[in-house]
Amino acid sequence: MGEHLEYTKEIYEPPVRKNRNYPVTWGGFFGFFGAYLGFIILFSLLIGMFYALSAIIFDFSMAGFENSPVFLLIDALTFTTVILIFKQTRQFIFQKLAFGVLKKKSTYLMMAGALVICQAEQYIIFDVLHLENPGSKGNDSLFTSGIGIAGIILVIFCACIAAPFTEEMVFRGFLFRFFHERYHFIAGLIISSAVFGSLHIGYPLAAGIMGFVFSTLFYFTKSLVPGMVVHALWNTYVSIAELLS
């Protein structure tokens, strides 16, 4: 009795493409920025009322309040509030607060290069091509008039500490990474830089290029810390120049 051999043809099945699980969903993305906008409005109203009362008590003008550095403090307060609410977003951003990168010499070379580029691009845009005129980035007299040294300290804290740390976490740590990881490095670079520039009234092109520089620095160092340091140094330089003038 002959052995019966059965031939079975193997059927090719294409590999199933699995959906990637992202740390932050689109719902979390819009929820974060929706809450951000809501708290910005709320805190602006509350602090506006506080300053109006202070203006009456200390007899100083409220003119220019809408352009004052106090909104940098409001932004930092808003970020702190929202980041405490959104746990996944907080973890997503804080993953990139790596200080170990400061041990590398290459990090400082990139940081120095970023400062040089920021200085060069603003000189070309403002002084050579005259494409933008940033003017005053805030009405410092609102703080320095009537409250003296306390106002100066507030201006420096808002511009040199609160703004750099908050903006780097929001624009590079969240916005850039969200689109970079979902789509491409170029998508994150363009979107985060464009939004960053558009929020700097009076000099969106110069600020947008700075956003480009900070995003690139973050991309190569894999840490938000170098960008925070460069951003803080730059804002300190600009703030001191404005206060002295």
Side-chain angles (χ1 to χ4, degrees), residues 137-166:
K137 297 178 179 61
N139 190 342
D140 296 336
S141 63
L142 176 65
F143 301 97
T144 58
S145 163
I147 52 177
I149 191 67
I152 296 176
I153 293 174
L154 181 59
V155 170
I156 294 175
F157 175 79
C158 291
C160 307
I161 300 177
F165 283 83
T166 301

PDB file of all heavy atoms in Angstrom, residues 137-166:
ATOM      1  N   LYS A 137       9.176  95.364  23.761  1.00  0.00           N
ATOM      2  CA  LYS A 137       8.497  94.091  23.977  1.00  0.00           C
ATOM      3  C   LYS A 137       7.616  94.121  25.209  1.00  0.00           C
ATOM      4  O   LYS A 137       7.095  93.124  25.650  1.00  0.00           O
ATOM      5  CB  LYS A 137       9.527  92.962  24.094  1.00  0.00           C
ATOM      6  CG  LYS A 137      10.347  92.778  22.820  1.00  0.00           C
ATOM      7  CD  LYS A 137      11.367  91.700  22.994  1.00  0.00           C
ATOM      8  CE  LYS A 137      12.173  91.500  21.726  1.00  0.00           C
ATOM      9  NZ  LYS A 137      12.911  92.674  21.328  1.00  0.00           N
ATOM     10  N   GLY A 138       7.459  95.274  25.763  1.00  0.00           N
ATOM     11  CA  GLY A 138       6.607  95.388  26.946  1.00  0.00           C
ATOM     12  C   GLY A 138       6.745  96.772  27.539  1.00  0.00           C
ATOM     13  O   GLY A 138       7.679  97.491  27.238  1.00  0.00           O
ATOM     14  N   ASN A 139       5.821  97.181  28.353  1.00  0.00           N
ATOM     15  CA  ASN A 139       5.870  98.477  28.987  1.00  0.00           C
ATOM     16  C   ASN A 139       6.427  98.305  30.390  1.00  0.00           C
ATOM     17  O   ASN A 139       5.697  98.088  31.338  1.00  0.00           O
ATOM     18  CB  ASN A 139       4.454  99.088  29.039  1.00  0.00           C
ATOM     19  CG  ASN A 139       4.492 100.536  29.477  1.00  0.00           C
ATOM     20  OD1 ASN A 139       5.466 100.997  30.051  1.00  0.00           O
ATOM     21  ND2 ASN A 139       3.425 101.242  29.194  1.00  0.00           N
ATOM     22  N   ASP A 140       7.765  98.392  30.489  1.00  0.00           N
ATOM     23  CA  ASP A 140       8.410  98.139  31.770  1.00  0.00           C
ATOM     24  C   ASP A 140       8.027  99.177  32.816  1.00  0.00           C
ATOM     25  O   ASP A 140       8.108  98.906  34.008  1.00  0.00           O
ATOM     26  CB  ASP A 140       9.934  98.120  31.601  1.00  0.00           C
ATOM     27  CG  ASP A 140      10.383  96.973  30.714  1.00  0.00           C
ATOM     28  OD1 ASP A 140       9.631  95.984  30.627  1.00  0.00           O
ATOM     29  OD2 ASP A 140      11.452  97.067  30.106  1.00  0.00           O
ATOM     30  N   SER A 141       7.619 100.379  32.365  1.00  0.00           N
ATOM     31  CA  SER A 141       7.264 101.412  33.334  1.00  0.00           C
ATOM     32  C   SER A 141       6.048 101.006  34.153  1.00  0.00           C
ATOM     33  O   SER A 141       5.841 101.490  35.256  1.00  0.00           O
ATOM     34  CB  SER A 141       6.977 102.729  32.606  1.00  0.00           C
ATOM     35  OG  SER A 141       5.858 102.599  31.746  1.00  0.00           O
ATOM     36  N   LEU A 142       5.243 100.099  33.607  1.00  0.00           N
ATOM     37  CA  LEU A 142       4.079  99.621  34.349  1.00  0.00           C
ATOM     38  C   LEU A 142       4.513  98.966  35.655  1.00  0.00           C
ATOM     39  O   LEU A 142       3.819  99.012  36.660  1.00  0.00           O
ATOM     40  CB  LEU A 142       3.312  98.599  33.496  1.00  0.00           C
ATOM     41  CG  LEU A 142       2.102  97.921  34.144  1.00  0.00           C
ATOM     42  CD1 LEU A 142       1.022  98.954  34.430  1.00  0.00           C
ATOM     43  CD2 LEU A 142       1.565  96.821  33.274  1.00  0.00           C
ATOM     44  N   PHE A 143       5.717  98.364  35.640  1.00  0.00           N
ATOM     45  CA  PHE A 143       6.211  97.666  36.827  1.00  0.00           C
ATOM     46  C   PHE A 143       7.179  98.525  37.630  1.00  0.00           C
ATOM     47  O   PHE A 143       7.170  98.514  38.842  1.00  0.00           O
ATOM     48  CB  PHE A 143       6.915  96.368  36.399  1.00  0.00           C
ATOM     49  CG  PHE A 143       6.006  95.455  35.649  1.00  0.00           C
ATOM     50  CD1 PHE A 143       5.997  95.434  34.267  1.00  0.00           C
ATOM     51  CD2 PHE A 143       5.139  94.617  36.319  1.00  0.00           C
ATOM     52  CE1 PHE A 143       5.151  94.597  33.579  1.00  0.00           C
ATOM     53  CE2 PHE A 143       4.292  93.770  35.632  1.00  0.00           C
ATOM     54  CZ  PHE A 143       4.292  93.766  34.257  1.00  0.00           C
ATOM     55  N   THR A 144       8.049  99.233  36.915  1.00  0.00           N
ATOM     56  CA  THR A 144       9.093  99.975  37.612  1.00  0.00           C
ATOM     57  C   THR A 144       8.582 101.278  38.198  1.00  0.00           C
ATOM     58  O   THR A 144       9.206 101.853  39.081  1.00  0.00           O
ATOM     59  CB  THR A 144      10.253 100.267  36.650  1.00  0.00           C
ATOM     60  OG1 THR A 144       9.758 101.000  35.521  1.00  0.00           O
ATOM     61  CG2 THR A 144      10.879  98.977  36.162  1.00  0.00           C
ATOM     62  N   SER A 145       7.465 101.775  37.688  1.00  0.00           N
ATOM     63  CA  SER A 145       6.905 103.016  38.196  1.00  0.00           C
ATOM     64  C   SER A 145       5.952 102.719  39.344  1.00  0.00           C
ATOM     65  O   SER A 145       4.927 102.088  39.165  1.00  0.00           O
ATOM     66  CB  SER A 145       6.155 103.742  37.067  1.00  0.00           C
ATOM     67  OG  SER A 145       5.296 104.707  37.575  1.00  0.00           O
ATOM     68  N   GLY A 146       6.299 103.170  40.531  1.00  0.00           N
ATOM     69  CA  GLY A 146       5.406 103.035  41.671  1.00  0.00           C
ATOM     70  C   GLY A 146       5.730 101.859  42.560  1.00  0.00           C
ATOM     71  O   GLY A 146       5.403 101.877  43.732  1.00  0.00           O
ATOM     72  N   ILE A 147       6.390 100.819  42.011  1.00  0.00           N
ATOM     73  CA  ILE A 147       6.722  99.676  42.868  1.00  0.00           C
ATOM     74  C   ILE A 147       8.220  99.377  42.844  1.00  0.00           C
ATOM     75  O   ILE A 147       8.658  98.378  43.375  1.00  0.00           O
ATOM     76  CB  ILE A 147       5.906  98.426  42.463  1.00  0.00           C
ATOM     77  CG1 ILE A 147       6.034  98.147  40.969  1.00  0.00           C
ATOM     78  CG2 ILE A 147       4.457  98.570  42.862  1.00  0.00           C
ATOM     79  CD1 ILE A 147       5.301  96.895  40.545  1.00  0.00           C
ATOM     80  N   GLY A 148       8.994 100.234  42.180  1.00  0.00           N
ATOM     81  CA  GLY A 148      10.448 100.207  42.259  1.00  0.00           C
ATOM     82  C   GLY A 148      11.100  98.889  41.932  1.00  0.00           C
ATOM     83  O   GLY A 148      10.822  98.264  40.911  1.00  0.00           O
ATOM     84  N   ILE A 149      11.993  98.470  42.815  1.00  0.00           N
ATOM     85  CA  ILE A 149      12.822  97.289  42.591  1.00  0.00           C
ATOM     86  C   ILE A 149      11.984  96.031  42.427  1.00  0.00           C
ATOM     87  O   ILE A 149      12.365  95.111  41.709  1.00  0.00           O
ATOM     88  CB  ILE A 149      13.836  97.115  43.740  1.00  0.00           C
ATOM     89  CG1 ILE A 149      14.876  96.047  43.380  1.00  0.00           C
ATOM     90  CG2 ILE A 149      13.122  96.781  45.040  1.00  0.00           C
ATOM     91  CD1 ILE A 149      15.773  96.436  42.241  1.00  0.00           C
ATOM     92  N   ALA A 150      10.836  95.978  43.085  1.00  0.00           N
ATOM     93  CA  ALA A 150       9.957  94.812  42.962  1.00  0.00           C
ATOM     94  C   ALA A 150       9.497  94.648  41.517  1.00  0.00           C
ATOM     95  O   ALA A 150       9.385  93.528  41.012  1.00  0.00           O
ATOM     96  CB  ALA A 150       8.754  94.947  43.884  1.00  0.00           C
ATOM     97  N   GLY A 151       9.233  95.762  40.840  1.00  0.00           N
ATOM     98  CA  GLY A 151       8.812  95.696  39.445  1.00  0.00           C
ATOM     99  C   GLY A 151       9.910  95.176  38.544  1.00  0.00           C
ATOM    100  O   GLY A 151       9.660  94.384  37.631  1.00  0.00           O
ATOM    101  N   ILE A 152      11.148  95.625  38.792  1.00  0.00           N
ATOM    102  CA  ILE A 152      12.280  95.167  37.986  1.00  0.00           C
ATOM    103  C   ILE A 152      12.496  93.669  38.172  1.00  0.00           C
ATOM    104  O   ILE A 152      12.741  92.931  37.223  1.00  0.00           O
ATOM    105  CB  ILE A 152      13.555  95.953  38.360  1.00  0.00           C
ATOM    106  CG1 ILE A 152      13.378  97.437  38.021  1.00  0.00           C
ATOM    107  CG2 ILE A 152      14.770  95.381  37.642  1.00  0.00           C
ATOM    108  CD1 ILE A 152      14.541  98.309  38.438  1.00  0.00           C
ATOM    109  N   ILE A 153      12.404  93.221  39.424  1.00  0.00           N
ATOM    110  CA  ILE A 153      12.567  91.788  39.707  1.00  0.00           C
ATOM    111  C   ILE A 153      11.490  90.982  38.994  1.00  0.00           C
ATOM    112  O   ILE A 153      11.750  89.908  38.445  1.00  0.00           O
ATOM    113  CB  ILE A 153      12.523  91.534  41.227  1.00  0.00           C
ATOM    114  CG1 ILE A 153      13.747  92.150  41.901  1.00  0.00           C
ATOM    115  CG2 ILE A 153      12.455  90.031  41.518  1.00  0.00           C
ATOM    116  CD1 ILE A 153      13.731  92.081  43.410  1.00  0.00           C
ATOM    117  N   LEU A 154      10.257  91.511  38.994  1.00  0.00           N
ATOM    118  CA  LEU A 154       9.157  90.813  38.328  1.00  0.00           C
ATOM    119  C   LEU A 154       9.390  90.714  36.831  1.00  0.00           C
ATOM    120  O   LEU A 154       9.168  89.668  36.219  1.00  0.00           O
ATOM    121  CB  LEU A 154       7.834  91.530  38.610  1.00  0.00           C
ATOM    122  CG  LEU A 154       6.579  90.905  38.000  1.00  0.00           C
ATOM    123  CD1 LEU A 154       6.401  89.484  38.502  1.00  0.00           C
ATOM    124  CD2 LEU A 154       5.349  91.745  38.312  1.00  0.00           C
ATOM    125  N   VAL A 155       9.866  91.807  36.216  1.00  0.00           N
ATOM    126  CA  VAL A 155      10.156  91.802  34.781  1.00  0.00           C
ATOM    127  C   VAL A 155      11.221  90.758  34.459  1.00  0.00           C
ATOM    128  O   VAL A 155      11.076  89.958  33.518  1.00  0.00           O
ATOM    129  CB  VAL A 155      10.630  93.199  34.317  1.00  0.00           C
ATOM    130  CG1 VAL A 155      11.167  93.134  32.890  1.00  0.00           C
ATOM    131  CG2 VAL A 155       9.478  94.200  34.386  1.00  0.00           C
ATOM    132  N   ILE A 156      12.301  90.746  35.234  1.00  0.00           N
ATOM    133  CA  ILE A 156      13.394  89.800  34.984  1.00  0.00           C
ATOM    134  C   ILE A 156      12.931  88.358  35.189  1.00  0.00           C
ATOM    135  O   ILE A 156      13.263  87.467  34.403  1.00  0.00           O
ATOM    136  CB  ILE A 156      14.592  90.127  35.897  1.00  0.00           C
ATOM    137  CG1 ILE A 156      15.184  91.485  35.503  1.00  0.00           C
ATOM    138  CG2 ILE A 156      15.645  89.033  35.820  1.00  0.00           C
ATOM    139  CD1 ILE A 156      16.293  91.955  36.411  1.00  0.00           C
ATOM    140  N   PHE A 157      12.152  88.129  36.253  1.00  0.00           N
ATOM    141  CA  PHE A 157      11.656  86.771  36.509  1.00  0.00           C
ATOM    142  C   PHE A 157      10.760  86.290  35.369  1.00  0.00           C
ATOM    143  O   PHE A 157      10.899  85.159  34.893  1.00  0.00           O
ATOM    144  CB  PHE A 157      10.889  86.727  37.830  1.00  0.00           C
ATOM    145  CG  PHE A 157      10.247  85.386  38.096  1.00  0.00           C
ATOM    146  CD1 PHE A 157      10.997  84.325  38.581  1.00  0.00           C
ATOM    147  CD2 PHE A 157       8.896  85.181  37.844  1.00  0.00           C
ATOM    148  CE1 PHE A 157      10.424  83.087  38.811  1.00  0.00           C
ATOM    149  CE2 PHE A 157       8.312  83.946  38.069  1.00  0.00           C
ATOM    150  CZ  PHE A 157       9.079  82.889  38.552  1.00  0.00           C
ATOM    151  N   CYS A 158       9.842  87.153  34.934  1.00  0.00           N
ATOM    152  CA  CYS A 158       8.901  86.776  33.872  1.00  0.00           C
ATOM    153  C   CYS A 158       9.625  86.461  32.566  1.00  0.00           C
ATOM    154  O   CYS A 158       9.387  85.431  31.932  1.00  0.00           O
ATOM    155  CB  CYS A 158       7.888  87.901  33.635  1.00  0.00           C
ATOM    156  SG  CYS A 158       6.720  88.164  34.976  1.00  0.00           S
ATOM    157  N   ALA A 159      10.518  87.371  32.160  1.00  0.00           N
ATOM    158  CA  ALA A 159      11.155  87.245  30.850  1.00  0.00           C
ATOM    159  C   ALA A 159      12.306  86.257  30.827  1.00  0.00           C
ATOM    160  O   ALA A 159      12.524  85.574  29.820  1.00  0.00           O
ATOM    161  CB  ALA A 159      11.641  88.623  30.388  1.00  0.00           C
ATOM    162  N   CYS A 160      13.053  86.177  31.932  1.00  0.00           N
ATOM    163  CA  CYS A 160      14.297  85.414  31.915  1.00  0.00           C
ATOM    164  C   CYS A 160      14.202  84.026  32.532  1.00  0.00           C
ATOM    165  O   CYS A 160      15.083  83.191  32.309  1.00  0.00           O
ATOM    166  CB  CYS A 160      15.398  86.199  32.625  1.00  0.00           C
ATOM    167  SG  CYS A 160      15.591  87.876  31.995  1.00  0.00           S
ATOM    168  N   ILE A 161      13.170  83.782  33.313  1.00  0.00           N
ATOM    169  CA  ILE A 161      13.030  82.471  33.951  1.00  0.00           C
ATOM    170  C   ILE A 161      11.722  81.789  33.552  1.00  0.00           C
ATOM    171  O   ILE A 161      11.724  80.693  32.986  1.00  0.00           O
ATOM    172  CB  ILE A 161      13.116  82.599  35.487  1.00  0.00           C
ATOM    173  CG1 ILE A 161      14.475  83.190  35.890  1.00  0.00           C
ATOM    174  CG2 ILE A 161      12.904  81.232  36.148  1.00  0.00           C
ATOM    175  CD1 ILE A 161      14.629  83.419  37.367  1.00  0.00           C
ATOM    176  N   ALA A 162      10.615  82.463  33.827  1.00  0.00           N
ATOM    177  CA  ALA A 162       9.309  81.844  33.577  1.00  0.00           C
ATOM    178  C   ALA A 162       9.086  81.556  32.097  1.00  0.00           C
ATOM    179  O   ALA A 162       8.723  80.439  31.714  1.00  0.00           O
ATOM    180  CB  ALA A 162       8.200  82.752  34.122  1.00  0.00           C
ATOM    181  N   ALA A 163       9.292  82.563  31.239  1.00  0.00           N
ATOM    182  CA  ALA A 163       9.025  82.398  29.808  1.00  0.00           C
ATOM    183  C   ALA A 163       9.878  81.327  29.145  1.00  0.00           C
ATOM    184  O   ALA A 163       9.351  80.463  28.434  1.00  0.00           O
ATOM    185  CB  ALA A 163       9.178  83.739  29.090  1.00  0.00           C
ATOM    186  N   PRO A 164      11.210  81.329  29.325  1.00  0.00           N
ATOM    187  CA  PRO A 164      12.023  80.308  28.656  1.00  0.00           C
ATOM    188  C   PRO A 164      11.645  78.878  29.036  1.00  0.00           C
ATOM    189  O   PRO A 164      11.547  78.003  28.162  1.00  0.00           O
ATOM    190  CB  PRO A 164      13.448  80.649  29.119  1.00  0.00           C
ATOM    191  CG  PRO A 164      13.413  82.095  29.430  1.00  0.00           C
ATOM    192  CD  PRO A 164      12.061  82.332  30.009  1.00  0.00           C
ATOM    193  N   PHE A 165      11.427  78.626  30.324  1.00  0.00           N
ATOM    194  CA  PHE A 165      11.112  77.266  30.763  1.00  0.00           C
ATOM    195  C   PHE A 165       9.725  76.848  30.254  1.00  0.00           C
ATOM    196  O   PHE A 165       9.536  75.725  29.782  1.00  0.00           O
ATOM    197  CB  PHE A 165      11.181  77.175  32.286  1.00  0.00           C
ATOM    198  CG  PHE A 165      12.589  77.113  32.806  1.00  0.00           C
ATOM    199  CD1 PHE A 165      13.330  78.272  32.975  1.00  0.00           C
ATOM    200  CD2 PHE A 165      13.185  75.894  33.096  1.00  0.00           C
ATOM    201  CE1 PHE A 165      14.640  78.214  33.436  1.00  0.00           C
ATOM    202  CE2 PHE A 165      14.496  75.829  33.554  1.00  0.00           C
ATOM    203  CZ  PHE A 165      15.229  77.000  33.720  1.00  0.00           C
ATOM    204  N   THR A 166       8.766  77.760  30.355  1.00  0.00           N
ATOM    205  CA  THR A 166       7.416  77.433  29.914  1.00  0.00           C
ATOM    206  C   THR A 166       7.351  77.223  28.411  1.00  0.00           C
ATOM    207  O   THR A 166       6.783  76.238  27.916  1.00  0.00           O
ATOM    208  CB  THR A 166       6.432  78.550  30.316  1.00  0.00           C
ATOM    209  OG1 THR A 166       6.452  78.716  31.725  1.00  0.00           O
ATOM    210  CG2 THR A 166       5.017  78.217  29.859  1.00  0.00           C
TER     211      THR A 166
END
